[in-house]
Amino acid sequence: MTSAVSGGHVAAIDLGATSGRVVLAHVSGSELRAETVARFPNTPVRTPDGLHWDVLGLYGAAVRGLGDAFRQAPGIASIGIDSWAVDYGLLRNGVLLGNPYHYRDERTARGVLSVHSRMRHPDLYRRNGLQFLPFNTLYQFAAERRDVLDLADTALLIPDLVAYWLTGQARTELTNASTTGLLRVDDQRLDDDLFDRLGLRRSLLTPLIAPGESYGVLLEEVRAEIGAPGAVPVTAIGSHDTASAVVAVPMADAAASAFISCGTWGLVGLELPSPVVTDAAREAGFTNEGGVDSRVRFLHNVMGLWILSETVRGWEAKEGHAIDLPTLLDSAAEVPAASVPVFDVDDPRFLRPGDMPGRIDAWCDEHGVRPPRTRAEYARAIVESLADAFARNVHTAAQLAGVDVATIHIVGGGALNTLLCQRTADRSGLVVEAGPVEATALGNVLVQARAAGFAAGSLEALRDLVRRTHAPLRYTPTATS
């Protein structure tokens, strides 16, 4: 095993909802240095039967990115893969049956009706601990065409599908599997009885693998394509991107800290040693997901920066030119907070792609408040509404779990949004520490590095390395309303 003092290189495939990238990192006991060597778009494709991910395009771009990484650092010791949760590819005899559906596809509604006709959500919650989200994997399975589902012999979550194509080994990584709704919340094992009660085949999901374990080594043809000189392992990490992001939250005291992994979604919560599966937690919309080292991510899914990015995308499509987001946010900062509405960002109307300003207007009309009038006002209303949701959910999480939170850590793209960070501090009355922006990739490479012997210790030790090498920015609450 390579000494943790000398360190070494690992590579991360980090697939997000709007883009993907390959990151090359050098990690040792005192160094955590990461560089994006390839970036590529992730553009969903709508066909007559629904909204899909272009997973073949993503895989091809990721393999080309790995080739770039090996040209820079031929001695890469490991590869890890993370992505969004819940979505999957169906295979038969190792062949993909079609591009995976996108979790925002409308088909999930019929899956909810099918599942809840067999088991109500309160009963599901006691078994799987998951917040009701209409796109969780068990609902998607129930929405599949029966002939297609019967034809499939395997279902692989997106990171596991990529790992299968790289190694030929089919496994189901635990942190992502915990979002399917098909694991028992008490021991994080597949719930065989639930499979039976929902009319699903247990054999669809492959054996579970924990972060730090190896899927296997690269297939010979993959090694030849990317120029890997030897038998490079693909290491299971927290393959749910939020699980990886939480690894790299630089919490000095996890017991007194909340995290917000803020990107397309805003995942707001706490890291706990055990789940909270109470009626109050269920009614508040809190979920219990698996984390690295058997930790529990007790959190609420907030709609996140999706609302802002979809708003800007709509304006750009209408006018045919790009809108500079920093300039827009600077204008929004000049708008008095009291002059814009605070709307419910978790309203289901904001889930699907489409006219976000129109939906905000409709929400305001229904609730008897004046809608925004200018672009700056729309942007300010979105930021205020997100900050309000973030602050409320931090305090709710702390109350439900019986902990005292002193600091909120914002990681991911939202850490760059200074207005959002400050307003979250103001509305919560708590200190906010922002960064690192690249938390998901850093958490990915840290788990790999520990498995390879380039870093050592507990999650707390890994987070201390993040804090020493990627110091967060601090925002203190102000009296601004």
Side-chain angles (χ1 to χ4, degrees):
M1 181 175 288
T2 306
S3 167
V5 175
S6 60
H9 285 96
V10 296
I13 299 173
D14 176 23
L15 302 178
T18 58
S19 66
R21 65 216 176 109
V22 173
V23 174
L24 175 63
H26 187 273
V27 185
S28 71
S30 61
E31 183 180 19
L32 175 57
R33 179 165 41 86
E35 171 192 1
T36 298
V37 296
R39 188 180 294 275
F40 40 91
N42 183 4
T43 305
V45 178
R46 184 170 291 281
T47 65
D49 70 316
L51 189 64
H52 297 266
W53 298 105
D54 180 12
V55 70
L56 297 177
L58 289 174
Y59 175 73
V63 168
R64 290 190 293 274
L66 287 176
D68 294 338
F70 273 92
R71 280 187 286 276
Q72 289 194 35
I76 289 172
S78 170
I79 297 166
I81 309 148
D82 68 76
S83 85
W84 64 94
V86 306
D87 291 333
Y88 54 87
L90 293 173
L91 299 93
R92 181 176 179 82
N93 296 327
V95 177
L96 187 67
L97 296 179
N99 263 348
Y101 277 98
H102 194 298
Y103 61 81
R104 296 190 193 274
D105 183 71
E106 294 82 355
R107 76 191 180 118
T108 57
R110 68 176 182 267
V112 172
L113 292 173
S114 175
V115 170
H116 288 178
S117 70
R118 303 176 187 223
M119 185 176 292
R120 299 182 315 117
H121 181 251
D123 299 321
L124 280 170
Y125 191 78
R126 283 189 286 273
R127 301 178 77 116
N128 63 26
L130 293 190
Q131 168 191 3
F132 170 67
L133 293 169
F135 45 73
N136 284 341
T137 312
L138 79 168
Y139 300 124
Q140 293 201 49
F141 279 164
E144 285 284 354
R145 282 176 40 186
R146 179 52 60 177
D147 58 338
V148 175
L149 198 60
D150 288 346
L151 181 63
D153 57 31
T154 304
L156 291 175
L157 297 166
I158 299 299
D160 300 320
L161 178 61
V162 175
Y164 173 68
W165 284 332
L166 291 176
T167 67
Q169 300 299 313
R171 298 290 184 271
T172 301
E173 190 276 320
L174 268 168
T175 68
N176 222 348
S178 74
T179 71
T180 64
L182 295 166
L183 265 64
R184 298 191 299 262
V185 69
D186 54 351
D187 62 5
Q188 291 295 284
R189 295 297 169 190
L190 290 170
D191 189 335
D192 292 341
D193 179 62
L194 183 57
F195 274 89
D196 291 340
R197 294 181 65 172
L198 298 181
L200 298 171
R201 281 177 291 126
R202 164 67 179 78
S203 58
L204 274 175
L205 292 187
T206 57
L208 297 173
I209 186 172
E213 297 178 355
S214 175
Y215 288 93
V217 298
L218 293 176
L219 294 168
E220 186 63 40
E221 54 267 35
V222 176
R223 286 176 51 194
E225 184 173 358
I226 66 177
V232 180
V234 175
T235 302
I237 46 88
S239 71
H240 182 194
D241 50 13
T242 306
S244 274
V246 171
V247 169
V249 174
M251 297 182 280
D253 181 5
S257 301
F259 63 80
I260 302 174
S261 180
C262 183
T264 299
W265 289 89
L267 295 310
V268 184
L270 312 170
E271 184 179 75
L272 300 176
S274 57
V276 179
V277 192
T278 61
D279 288 341
R282 173 180 55 80
E283 291 166 2
F286 274 77
T287 200
N288 297 268
E289 296 174 353
V292 172
D293 289 1
S294 301
R295 310 288 175 92
V296 173
R297 293 175 288 124
F298 180 62
L299 58 87
H300 179 80
N301 286 261
V302 175
M303 205 69 75
L305 290 172
W306 156 255
I307 298 177
L308 180 60
S309 62
E310 185 67 1
T311 296
V312 171
R313 187 198 64 77
W315 288 335
E316 291 177 336
K318 184 178 294 184
E319 298 190 0
H321 62 79
I323 292 173
D324 185 68
L325 184 58
T327 300
L328 176 64
L329 290 172
D330 287 344
S331 299
E334 299 299 319
V335 175
S339 70
V340 297
V342 173
F343 61 89
D344 179 11
V345 295
D346 286 337
D347 190 299
R349 76 186 75 201
F350 300 116
L351 177 62
R352 312 292 180 198
D355 178 14
M356 291 298 172
R359 294 172 190 174
I360 293 170
D361 291 350
W363 188 96
C364 291
D365 290 343
E366 292 170 13
H367 292 81
V369 296
R370 181 183 73 82
R373 294 172 180 164
T374 67
R375 287 183 177 174
E377 287 189 358
Y378 278 107
R380 183 67 190 241
I382 292 168
V383 168
E384 289 297 322
S385 300
L386 286 174
D388 178 71
F390 289 169
R392 283 188 292 103
N393 281 290
V394 164
H395 287 299
T396 301
Q399 181 180 19
L400 292 168
V403 301
D404 294 322
V405 171
T407 306
I408 300 172
H409 289 266
I410 297 181
V411 298
L416 293 173
N417 190 324
T418 57
L419 178 61
L420 178 60
C421 293
Q422 184 60 58
R423 293 303 289 148
T424 301
D426 297 340
R427 285 185 172 273
S428 67
L430 299 172
V431 170
V432 167
E433 293 194 355
V437 175
E438 309 296 352
T440 298
L442 294 179
N444 180 323
V445 301
L446 282 168
V447 173
Q448 290 188 70
R450 187 173 64 176
F454 302 148
S458 64
L459 287 185
E460 287 70 28
L462 298 181
R463 288 168 179 154
D464 179 65
L465 177 58
V466 176
R467 196 171 186 89
R468 285 185 280 119
T469 55
H470 296 74
L473 294 176
R474 186 179 179 90
Y475 295 83
T476 57
T478 69
T480 304
S481 63

